[in-house]
Each structure stands twice: as structure tokens, then as C-alpha cells.
Amino acid sequence: MRVLVTGGAGFIGGHVVDRLTARGDDVVVLDSLAAHEKKPALPDSVELIVGDLRDEQAVRRAVEGVDAVCHQAARVGLGVDFDDVAAYVADNDGGTANLLRALWRRSFSGRLVVASSMVVYGEGRYRCREHGDVRAEPRRAPDLDAGRFEPRCPRCGADLAWASVPEDAPLDPRNVYAATKVHTEHLSFLYGRESGAAVCALRYHNVYGPRMPRDTPYAGVASIFRSALEAGAAPRVFEDGGQTRDFVHVGDVARANLLALDREWTGACNIASGEPHTVGDMARTLAAAFSEQHGPVVTGEYRLGDVRHVVASPDLAAEKLDFRAETGFAEGMTAFARDPLR
């Protein structure tokens, strides 16, 4: 099978490429290499096309003759502030549109696997003891300034308890990156309906592991904490450290992509470990594995566009893709303390 991997020189894309080539697939990588200080090492068999998704000539060349597409390229993370909006929309919405148009013009109706994210849900699923399932309202700066981080019931004001989020939960993007991921899903599923292509969107939860980008405004929290520890500083944990997430190893995420490429199921599913932990748990586990002298510091800082609790239900991925995470939290974080970063 000839597979195009957009962003195939990046963090998750690179691990997908390694697994595809290891099993004998013919792989084409389209990557701008803008995030790399030097040309990354790819398997010798890979055809690398250096170009941006907004470069129509590069995209047309990349889609020629492919049987399947694994679309990983994106501008990720929350960014710095809303001033990043144009760059996110150009890269994620515009880049996806260019890719889909190129596929349309060559009448592609093969398998399309798209990298999405848990951020499409906004805040996760919540329950009030008195009123049952309720939607958490957008966070307000006065509450966060006062240290009131837990979402409250919009009807009675009581603190809410989180529950796992299924794929049919309402989409409620609460930052620019999240909005572009929702649009990427919508465009891709629309392409599938128009072309007959089988489209699968993988909603990644908090991915970590070897070759993760180092500390930048766009990096994941695990990378930011790891970079602080390497510099001899304590990880700075925002809010009170009680934010709940699902940390899933990049090896599991790459395997999920291959499972999705090999099936004809169409839809969106969570890619998660099924083992929720708080951000504080993660910081303490990573610090202990790295060096006990650098314990985390809880700062009370916050980002208004962040969310409090997002924990996935892994059931649909298990049913439709036969995907179950294999790397446990303690094992993965202990290894991540020494994993090479990009």
C-alpha cells in the first residue's frame, strides 16, 4: 500500500512512518520541515517532499498514486494568544482544504485518516449531584483569579464531577486550535460523503513520548515539564494541579493510526489510554523519575482558553478499531524522563 503521511517528519507522524515502513508499506512524506533545525532522519525507503500544505504544487505531487492518506500535519497547542488566529486557520483549515481539493482532483476514494484532538469537546462531561448531566459554562477570569477552578453547575452552583466523554458528546471548541480541529473533521467527513472515501478522525488525548518537541508555546505540557527538569528547574503546574487528562503514549497513537488505515470504518473515535491522571500526578511522576530534587511547583496561574477536565471513553476505539493502549502511565512517564526530544 502506498501511503501519504502529511507531517510525517513530525512527532506523531514520524512514529506512524516508522511503523508503516517497518511493515513494508510504500510511504510518501509531505512536511515543510519548518519545525526542524536540521533535516530529520527518515527511513531510507521514504520519499520526502519538502513543502507546506498551502503549496498546491507540492500537495499535488504528494497525492499522486497514493492508496491511503494519514493527515497529521497541523499547527498544534494553544499558541501564545488570540493573535495566533490567522496562522492557525491558514495552516490547519487552509492546509486541510488544499489537501482535500488535491485528492478530489485526482478522484481519490481510498482511506483517509485524520488527526483530530480531544480539544473538540471543550470542557469534558460533567454531572451535578442534583441535576444530573449538565454542560459546564465557559470559564470566567474572575473565578480563576480567585482560585475557583472547578466547573460549577449552571443551575445550582455546586461543583461538578467529571465523567468520561463519549464520541457523540457535543462539540464545543474553546480555543482557536480546537476550532480548527472541528473544522478539519467537518471538511474531511464532507469530502468522504462527496467522494466515497472512508474517513476516520482520531481524537488524540494528551500524547507524549520520544521525539516530542521541546519547550515552545506550542508544546504539550509533558514536554514543557520535561524541559524544565532538564534545565534544573521545577515544573510549574498551573491552577492547582487538579486538571484531569488522559496521557497516551505516542507508540500507542501510531499503532492506532495503522489500525485505522487498515479498516473501512467511518467515524470519529477517542485515542486514549483509559487511565486518567491529573496534571499534578504527571508532574510528580515525571519529576520523581528524573530527579527527586526537582519537585513540581503549583503556581495558580491559568490560561483562559484551557479546560479543567477532559477524560475519554476508550470503548468505541476498542470496538471499531480493536485499539487498546499498551503503555501504562507509570511505565511511559518513567521512560519519558530519559526519552530523546526534538
Side-chain angles (χ1 to χ4, degrees):
M1 180 166 65
R2 183 171 174 84
V3 184
L4 167 63
V5 183
T6 70
F11 172 42
I12 297 173
H15 285 271
V16 173
V17 167
D18 287 347
R19 286 179 177 257
L20 287 171
T21 56
R23 74 176 192 180
D25 287 311
D26 183 15
V27 178
V28 181
V29 166
L30 174 64
D31 198 299
S32 69
L33 304 186
H36 300 265
E37 294 180 355
K38 59 183 181 180
K39 186 176 179 179
L42 291 169
D44 292 339
S45 62
V46 170
E47 178 186 351
L48 172 62
I49 299 173
V50 180
D52 193 285
L53 276 172
R54 294 172 293 175
D55 180 342
E56 293 185 19
Q57 183 176 355
V59 174
R60 282 199 306 271
R61 179 183 163 198
V63 302
E64 289 178 3
V66 299
D67 305 299
V69 177
C70 188
H71 179 30
Q72 303 294 318
R75 183 180 290 264
V76 300
L78 287 184
V80 178
D81 53 36
F82 196 82
D83 194 60
D84 282 334
V85 62
Y88 272 92
V89 171
D91 286 350
N92 296 356
D93 299 86
T96 297
N98 273 344
L99 172 65
L100 297 175
R101 181 172 62 177
L103 292 171
W104 177 261
R105 288 178 172 176
R106 60 143 292 199
S107 300
F108 174 84
S109 59
R111 185 62 161 154
L112 173 61
V113 175
V114 178
S116 186
S117 170
M118 56 89 174
V119 297
V120 300
Y121 299 119
E123 283 286 357
R125 184 182 177 193
Y126 291 97
R127 288 177 178 160
C128 173
R129 183 174 298 177
E130 181 176 351
H131 298 106
D133 280 3
V134 297
R135 293 292 295 168
E137 295 180 335
R139 306 196 326 164
R140 301 187 314 121
D143 288 334
L144 301 173
D145 288 335
R148 294 191 295 268
F149 301 120
E150 291 296 335
R152 291 178 292 176
C153 176
R155 297 176 63 183
C156 68
D159 283 352
L160 300 173
W162 63 262
S164 61
V165 183
E167 287 80 357
D168 60 359
L171 303 186
D172 185 19
R174 299 197 176 187
N175 57 61
V176 170
Y177 170 63
T180 66
K181 280 300 179 183
V182 170
H183 199 206
T184 292
E185 284 196 20
H186 286 171
L187 289 174
S188 299
F189 285 122
L190 176 60
Y191 177 82
R193 289 193 294 272
E194 294 282 336
S195 68
V199 179
C200 181
L202 302 180
R203 293 174 179 166
Y204 303 153
H205 285 248
N206 289 66
V207 187
Y208 72 96
R211 308 204 304 257
M212 195 173 188
R214 290 182 181 275
D215 186 7
T216 78
Y218 307 94
V221 66
S223 176
I224 292 171
F225 289 172
R226 159 69 189 274
S227 294
L229 288 163
E230 278 192 321
R236 295 176 60 82
V237 179
F238 280 15
E239 301 182 21
D240 59 0
Q243 312 92 302
T244 312
R245 299 289 188 270
D246 187 303
F247 298 96
V248 58
H249 194 271
V250 68
D252 285 321
V253 173
R255 185 167 52 82
N257 274 272
L258 268 66
L259 290 169
L261 284 167
D262 291 343
R263 285 162 172 76
E264 289 299 309
W265 179 73
T266 293
C269 61
N270 295 317
I271 299 301
S273 72
E275 187 182 352
H277 288 272
T278 67
V279 172
D281 288 340
M282 189 269 285
R284 287 187 290 271
T285 303
L286 189 57
F290 195 93
S291 171
E292 291 187 5
Q293 63 182 334
H294 298 303
V297 174
V298 177
T299 70
E301 298 171 85
Y302 65 85
R303 295 184 297 186
L304 192 60
D306 209 342
V307 296
R308 182 63 176 174
H309 304 294
V310 185
V311 174
S313 168
D315 296 342
L316 188 65
E319 176 188 347
K320 299 298 184 182
L321 303 180
D322 197 27
F323 170 76
R324 295 168 183 81
E326 295 176 349
T327 302
F329 177 79
E331 172 195 356
M333 284 296 167
T334 300
F336 183 61
R338 300 297 178 187
D339 282 336
L341 301 184
R342 190 178 75 216

